[in-house]
C-alpha cells in the first residue's frame, strides 16, 4: 500500500516537509518545482505513514487501494516520474534558513492583493514576532483566482482557502477589502505608512490574438467567461452568445479545458457547485453541443496538464474526440520520447492523446474536440462571429529540444457562433510602480522591484506571484515565490535598509477618509456566512453575491 497524489494537487509542498523518507518530489529546492504539473510520491520509498495526506491543504493525497476508477491513472503517473527521476531516500534535505523572531518590532508590510501569492506572502511575514501585515484588495471578497478563477466543478482545489483563512485571521494581519491602490491610496502613501509594500496583484488582463475579426460580437477572452461564470462582480452583466451549436476555444491550457468543460457540462450537475446563478440560467438555455479546442503545437507539447485532460474523460454524455492523424507524433518528438529525452509528463501526454484517438465515440449528445497544429488566421463575420479560419502549423525544434509552431500552408474554416481566446493572462500596470510593458510584469530581482531606468532596487517595494514572474505555475508555486520575496524584504530590514514605522493612527484615518466602506475581516465573515447559508438551502457550497451593494448590505447588517 502506498499514497498517491491526484488531480487536485496545488504544489503547496506542505506534504514535502512532513515526509519522513523524502519520497515526494520535486521539492521546492529542486529546479523542476516551479514548472512541474504536480508533485509525485515514489511508491518504492513511501512507508505508508499518511503524514502527507494529513498535511495536504486540498485533499489531493489518496491511498492507492482507495483510488476511484477515475483516479487509477494517477498511480501510474506518480510511478512514471521516478522511473525517469530516481531518488536517494537518504539524501539530505535542504534545511530552510531560520530567522530570529524577536527582531521585527515596527515592521509593517502592506500586501496589495489577496489571492494565493498575497496570502502566502502575508503568512511568511506574519509568522515573525513583532511584524504586522495590512492586506488590501479592491474587491469586497478575498482570495483572488481561488474565488473567481478556479472552475466551480473543482471544489477540492478551493479548499486551499481554509489555509488562507487562517492567515487573514491572525491578529497581526489586517484585511482591507474595497480599497483600490492608485485611487484610494497611492503607492507613495503606502510607503509613508508602511515599512514596505509587496505587490501581489496577479495578472488580471488577457493576451490578444491580434487577428482580423477579434472584436466581433461573439469573440471574447476566456478570462471574461471564467470571471462571468464564477460570479466576479466586474463581469456579472456580461453576455455570451450561446445560441449556436459550436464554440471554438483558441489555446489548449488548463483554462481552455475548464471553459470547454463548463460549456458542455450538465447544468443540473453544475448547479450543485458555487457557479453563479446567472451563468446557470444562461447555460440551461445554451444550444452549444460541440466545443473545438485549438492548440498551436502537437499533442506532446499541449499546454494543459495530464490531470486536466483526464478530467475530460469522465464527463457524462460527452465524447472527447481526437482524430487519429492529429494524435500522431512527428518523427523528432517520437524519437525524443523513445530515447527518454523528454519528461514523464510529456510521454504520458502523448500516450493519452493516442488512447483517446483510438477510442470509439459513444454518440453522446455533446462533444469536445481537441485539434493540434492549428492557429487562427482570422475570425469571420460581418457584425458577429460566424466562423474562424485556421492555418496549419509545423514544429520547429530549438537547440534545447523544445518545439515551436510555425504556420506553413493550407488550413480550413470552422463554422461557430462563439470564439473564446485562452492564450494567457497578462499583468496590468500599477500607478507609481515600475512596469515592464513587454513582459507585462513588475521588473524585479528576487522580488525586489527594480527601477526601469537604472535597474536599481526601489526602496521598500517588492513583488510576488504572477505580476513578479509572469502567469506561470499553479497555486502552490506562489509559496516558494513568496518565501523568496519575503526573505529579501527581511534581509533588507535586518540590514537597516528599511525602517520601522510609527503607530497606525495616520493610516487608519486615511482609510476612514478615503474608503469609508472598507470591509474588514468581520465584514468578510458576514458575507461568507450569508453565502454559505444561502447555499445550504439549495445543496450548494455557497450562493455567491455578484454585486457590491448586496455585499455591503450584509456587512451593514441589512441583508
Amino acid at each position: 500500500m502506498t499514497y498517491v497524489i491526484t488531480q487536485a494537487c496545488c504544489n503547496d509542498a506542505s506534504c514535502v516537509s512532513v515526509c519522513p523518507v523524502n519520497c515526494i518530489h520535486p521539492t521546492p529546492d529542486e529546479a523542476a518545482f516551479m514548472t512541474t504539473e504536480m508533485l509525485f510520491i515514489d511508491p518504492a520509498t513511501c512507508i505508508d505513514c499518511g503524514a502527507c495526506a494529513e498535511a495536504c491543504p486540498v485533499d489531493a493525497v489518496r491511498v492507492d487501494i482507495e483510488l476511484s476508477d477515475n483516479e487509477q491513472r494517477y498511480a501510474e503517473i506518480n510511478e512514471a516520474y521516478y522511473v525517469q527521476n530516481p531518488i536517494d531516500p537518504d539524501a539530505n534535505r535542504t534545511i530552510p534558513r531560520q530567522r530570529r523572531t524577536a527582531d521585527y518590532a515596527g515592521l509593517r508590510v502592506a500586501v496589495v492583493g489577496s489571492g494565493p501569492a498575497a496570502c502566502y506572502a502575508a503568512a511568511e511575514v506574519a509568522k515573525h514576532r513583532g511584524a504586522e501585515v495590512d492586506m488590501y484588495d479592491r474587491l469586497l471578497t478575498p482570495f483572488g483566482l481561488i474565488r473567481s478563477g478556479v472552475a466551480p466543478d473543482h471544489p477540492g482545489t478551493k479548499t486551499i482557502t481554509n489555509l488562507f483563512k487562517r492567515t487573514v485571521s491572525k491578529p497581526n494581519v489586517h484585511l482591507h477589502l474595497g480599497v483600490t491602490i492608485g485611487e484610494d491610496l497611492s503607492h507613495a502613501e503606502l510607503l509613508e505608512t508602511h515599512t514596505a509594500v509587496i505587490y501581489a496583484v496577479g495578472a488580471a488582463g488577457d493576451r490578444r490574438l491580434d487577428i482580423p475579426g477579434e472584436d466581433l460580437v461573439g469573440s471574447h477572452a476566456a478570462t471574461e467567461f471564467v470571471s462571468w461564470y464564477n460570479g466576479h462582480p466586474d463581469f456579472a452583466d456580461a453576455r455570451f452568445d450561446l445560441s449556436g451549436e459550436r464554440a471554438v476555444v483558441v489555446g489548449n491550457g488548463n483554462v481552455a479545458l475548464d471553459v470547454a468543460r463548463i460549456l458542455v457540462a450538465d447544468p443540473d450537475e453544475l448547479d450543485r457547485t458555487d457557479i453563479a446563478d446567472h451563468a446557470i440560467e444562461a447555460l440551461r438555455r445554451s444550444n452549444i453541443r460541440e466545443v473545438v479546442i485549438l492548440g498551436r503545437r502537437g499533442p506532446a507539447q499541449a499546454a494543459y496538464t495530464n490531470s486536466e485532460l483526464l478530467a475530460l474523460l469522465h464527463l457524462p454524455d460527452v465524447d472527447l474526440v481526437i482524430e487519429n492523424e492529429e494524435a500522431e507524433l512527428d518523427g523528432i518528438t517520437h524519437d525524443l520520447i523513445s530515447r527518454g529525452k523528454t519528461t514523464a509528463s510529456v510521454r504520458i501526454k502523448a500516450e493519452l492523446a493516442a488512447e483517446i484517438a483510438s477510442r470509439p465515440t459513444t454518440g453522446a449528445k455533446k462533444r469536445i474536440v481537441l485539434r493540434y497544429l492549428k492557429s487562427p488566421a482570422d475570425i469571420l463575420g460581418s457584425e458577429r462571429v460566424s466562423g474562424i479560419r485556421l492555418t496549419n502549423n509545423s514544429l520547429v525544434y530549438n537547440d534545447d529540444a523544445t518545439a515551436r509552431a510555425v504556420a506553413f500552408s493550407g488550413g480550413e474554416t470552422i463554422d461557430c457562433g462563439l470564439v473564446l481566446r485562452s492564450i494567457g493572462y497578462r499583468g496590468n500596470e500599477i500607478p507609481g510602480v515600475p512596469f515592464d510593458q513587454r513582459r507585462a510584469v513588475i521588473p524585479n530581482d528576487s522580488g525586489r522591484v527594480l527601477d526601469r531606468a537604472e535597474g536599481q532596487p526601489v526602496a521598500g517595494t517588492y513583488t510576488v506571484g504572477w505580476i513578479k514572474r509572469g502567469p506561470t505555475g499553479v497555486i502552490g508555486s506562489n509559496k516558494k515565490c513568496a518565501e523568496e520575496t519575503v526573505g529579501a524584504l527581511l534581509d533588507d530590514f535586518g540590514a537597516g535598509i528599511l525602517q520601522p514605522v510609527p503607530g497606525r493612527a495616520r493610516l487608519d484615518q486615511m482609510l476612514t477618509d478615503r474608503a469609508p466602506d472598507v470591509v474588514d475581516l468581520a465584514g468578510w465573515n458576514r458575507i461568507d456566512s450569508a453565502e454559505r447559508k444561502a447555499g445550504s438551502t439549495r445543496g450548494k457550497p455557497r450562493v455567491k453575491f455578484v454585486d457590491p451593494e448586496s455585499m455591503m448590505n450584509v456587512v451593514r447588517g441589512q441583508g
Side-chain angles (χ1 to χ4, degrees), residues 14-26:
S14 295
C15 56
V16 173
S17 60
V18 300
C19 177
V21 292
N22 193 27
C23 75
I24 305 175
H25 290 259

Side-chain angles (χ1 to χ4, degrees), residues 335-400:
D335 179 62
L336 291 171
I337 291 175
S338 65
R339 292 191 295 117
K341 299 298 184 181
T342 59
T343 65
S345 174
V346 169
R347 176 181 61 78
I348 292 172
K349 196 169 287 184
E351 291 174 352
L352 280 173
E355 288 178 21
I356 294 167
S358 66
R359 296 186 345 165
T361 57
T362 66
K365 293 180 181 178
K366 299 179 182 180
R367 65 186 213 155
I368 295 173
V369 182
L370 290 168
R371 303 291 307 274
Y372 301 98
L373 293 171
K374 305 292 181 185
S375 290
D378 53 80
I379 298 172
L380 308 175
S382 54
E383 296 182 355
R384 57 191 318 112
V385 172
S386 62
I388 186 168
R389 187 170 63 84
L390 311 180
T391 59
N392 296 325
N393 295 335
S394 61
L395 294 181
V396 175
Y397 286 82
N398 302 319
D399 292 340
D400 60 357

Side-chain angles (χ1 to χ4, degrees), residues 267-550:
D268 289 338
E269 291 296 321
L270 287 177
D271 201 19
R272 297 187 178 97
T273 73
D274 66 355
I275 191 170
D277 281 350
H278 58 249
I280 279 293
E281 293 173 9
L283 290 168
R284 289 193 189 281
R285 300 190 300 268
S286 171
N287 292 325
I288 291 177
R289 297 294 177 265
E290 179 179 279
V291 181
V292 180
I293 301 175
L294 304 177
R296 292 181 300 113
R297 297 180 295 170
Q301 297 86 17
Y304 53 71
T305 60
N306 288 315
S307 59
E308 289 299 322
L309 181 60
L310 286 168
L312 297 184
L313 288 172
H314 307 293
L315 293 175
D317 208 20
V318 176
D319 274 331
L320 181 60
V321 179
I322 300 175
E323 297 298 334
N324 276 300
E325 59 270 21
E326 293 201 10
E328 293 178 359
L329 301 176
D330 67 286
I332 296 177
T333 300
H334 184 275
D335 179 62
L336 291 171
I337 291 175
S338 65
R339 292 191 295 117
K341 299 298 184 181
T342 59
T343 65
S345 174
V346 169
R347 176 181 61 78
I348 292 172
K349 196 169 287 184
E351 291 174 352
L352 280 173
E355 288 178 21
I356 294 167
S358 66
R359 296 186 345 165
T361 57
T362 66
K365 293 180 181 178
K366 299 179 182 180
R367 65 186 213 155
I368 295 173
V369 182
L370 290 168
R371 303 291 307 274
Y372 301 98
L373 293 171
K374 305 292 181 185
S375 290
D378 53 80
I379 298 172
L380 308 175
S382 54
E383 296 182 355
R384 57 191 318 112
V385 172
S386 62
I388 186 168
R389 187 170 63 84
L390 311 180
T391 59
N392 296 325
N393 295 335
S394 61
L395 294 181
V396 175
Y397 286 82
N398 302 319
D399 292 340
D400 60 357
T402 58
R404 56 188 174 89
V406 177
F408 69 99
S409 64
E412 62 189 278
T413 297
I414 299 178
D415 294 333
C416 62
L418 177 68
V419 173
L420 298 172
R421 64 180 184 274
S422 183
I423 56 174
Y425 290 86
R426 178 181 172 83
N428 293 326
E429 188 169 1
I430 303 159
V433 181
F435 190 71
D436 184 335
Q437 292 288 351
R438 183 182 64 82
R439 297 181 57 223
V441 298
I442 296 174
N444 69 94
D445 179 11
S446 300
R448 293 182 177 92
V449 173
L450 301 178
D451 179 83
R452 289 284 289 160
E454 304 295 333
Q456 296 299 311
V458 177
T461 310
Y462 302 82
T463 186
V464 69
W466 280 3
I467 196 65
K468 167 187 174 182
R469 66 182 192 273
T472 60
V474 293
I475 294 169
S477 307
N478 294 297
K479 185 176 182 179
K480 176 178 172 64
C481 182
E483 289 172 352
E484 178 185 60
T485 292
V486 174
L489 187 157
L490 295 177
D491 285 344
D492 291 347
F493 186 74
I497 298 172
L498 306 176
Q499 298 300 317
V501 292
R504 304 184 55 86
R506 181 162 182 257
L507 172 61
D508 292 343
Q509 188 61 53
M510 290 171 66
L511 288 170
T512 299
D513 294 342
R514 312 281 184 82
D517 289 332
V518 64
V519 174
D520 59 9
L521 176 63
W524 157 241
N525 284 338
R526 294 189 192 102
I527 295 171
D528 184 39
S529 178
E531 289 186 340
R532 291 177 181 276
K533 183 178 179 180
S536 67
T537 65
R538 294 172 49 187
K540 299 162 63 77
R542 69 174 66 236
V543 176
K544 290 179 177 177
F545 292 108
V546 298
D547 68 285
E549 190 56 37
S550 296

Side-chain angles (χ1 to χ4, degrees), residues 164-185:
F164 298 154
K165 284 178 182 178
R166 293 199 291 271
T167 295
V168 299
S169 300
K170 290 179 180 292
N172 59 339
V173 176
H174 311 282
L175 193 60
H176 309 287
L177 303 173
V179 178
T180 301
I181 302 306
E183 295 180 13
D184 299 317
L185 293 175

Side-chain angles (χ1 to χ4, degrees), residues 220-250:
H220 307 268
T223 53
E224 298 172 11
F225 188 68
V226 169
S227 296
W228 170 76
Y229 66 62
N230 273 317
H232 192 297
D234 292 353
F235 298 92
D237 296 327
R239 294 291 181 268
F240 300 90
D241 186 355
L242 308 180
S243 62
E245 293 195 353
R246 181 184 291 121
V248 172
V249 182
V250 180

